[in-house]
Amino acid sequence: MTLHDKNKNRQAQIFRGRGGLQALEASWRTLQENLPDLRFIHYYGWYKSRLENTEPDPESIVFVLASEADRPIAIFPLQQVVIRRFGLALRTWEIYWPNDMGICDFVFAKTSAHSHMLEWLIALLNERKELAWDLLRLQDTLVDSCALY
């Protein structure tokens, strides 16, 4: 799936599960090489190891790749879960975390050009029926994370 952002020439591609992550490897590695404040939770290898070895439901994981002019600018690792509260079943996208430390993040450079990435992600989620949602949960992010930027 590709979404074209008419205002910024930004495109989105959705990758699901193990096969999706594999297809995303070259773009992810290009992106991580250019991140000025790279942390372990931004590395492709963390996600690959988890999906291949311990993730019980790899197909519930999606990776949204944002590109401009065929250049990767952001990756949003998301997990689809249902949260039940007060008799409601909320279709929830949350940041996927592939580590036992419980911290997670999106993957992009924190620059003024990318200051609206969360708004862009929300617009994408609203546009695509297969990504239907009631709640976006940005749990366990560090104060200086990409997700909170």
Side-chain angles (χ1 to χ4, degrees), residues 5-6 11-13 18 23 25 29 36 51 57-59 66 69 72 74-75 79 83 92 100 108 119 133-134 142 145:
D5 182 338
K6 294 176 182 74
Q11 297 178 345
Q13 291 178 278
R18 288 184 191 118
E25 182 175 3
R29 292 192 186 279
L51 282 182
D57 185 12
E59 293 306 305
I75 296 172
Q79 182 167 28
I83 295 178
T92 304
D100 292 331
F108 61 85
E119 292 171 18
W133 65 296
D134 300 308
L142 299 173
S145 67

Side-chain angles (χ1 to χ4, degrees), residues 16-17 55-62 78-81 93 96:
R16 186 175 290 274
E55 177 55 49
D57 185 12
E59 293 306 305
S60 71
I61 312 302
V62 300
L78 299 170
Q79 182 167 28
Q80 195 172 37
V81 297
W93 286 107
Y96 179 63

Side-chain angles (χ1 to χ4, degrees), residues 8 10 35-37 39 42 73-76 95 104-122 136 138-149:
K8 297 190 178 174
R10 192 169 290 157
L35 289 181
D37 50 357
R39 292 189 166 134
H42 299 134
I73 61 166
I75 296 172
F76 301 93
I95 303 175
C104 55
D105 202 2
F106 296 141
V107 183
F108 61 85
K110 296 180 291 185
T111 65
S112 60
H114 301 144
S115 63
H116 298 285
M117 292 305 295
L118 184 58
E119 292 171 18
W120 180 84
L121 176 64
I122 290 170
L136 176 61
L138 306 178
Q139 79 292 352
D140 301 321
T141 54
L142 299 173
V143 172
D144 62 343
S145 67
C146 297
L148 297 181
Y149 177 69

Side-chain angles (χ1 to χ4, degrees), residues 83-97:
I83 295 178
R84 298 185 188 287
R85 297 286 189 272
F86 310 109
L88 298 173
L90 301 172
R91 300 167 301 177
T92 304
W93 286 107
E94 62 185 19
I95 303 175
Y96 179 63
W97 67 77

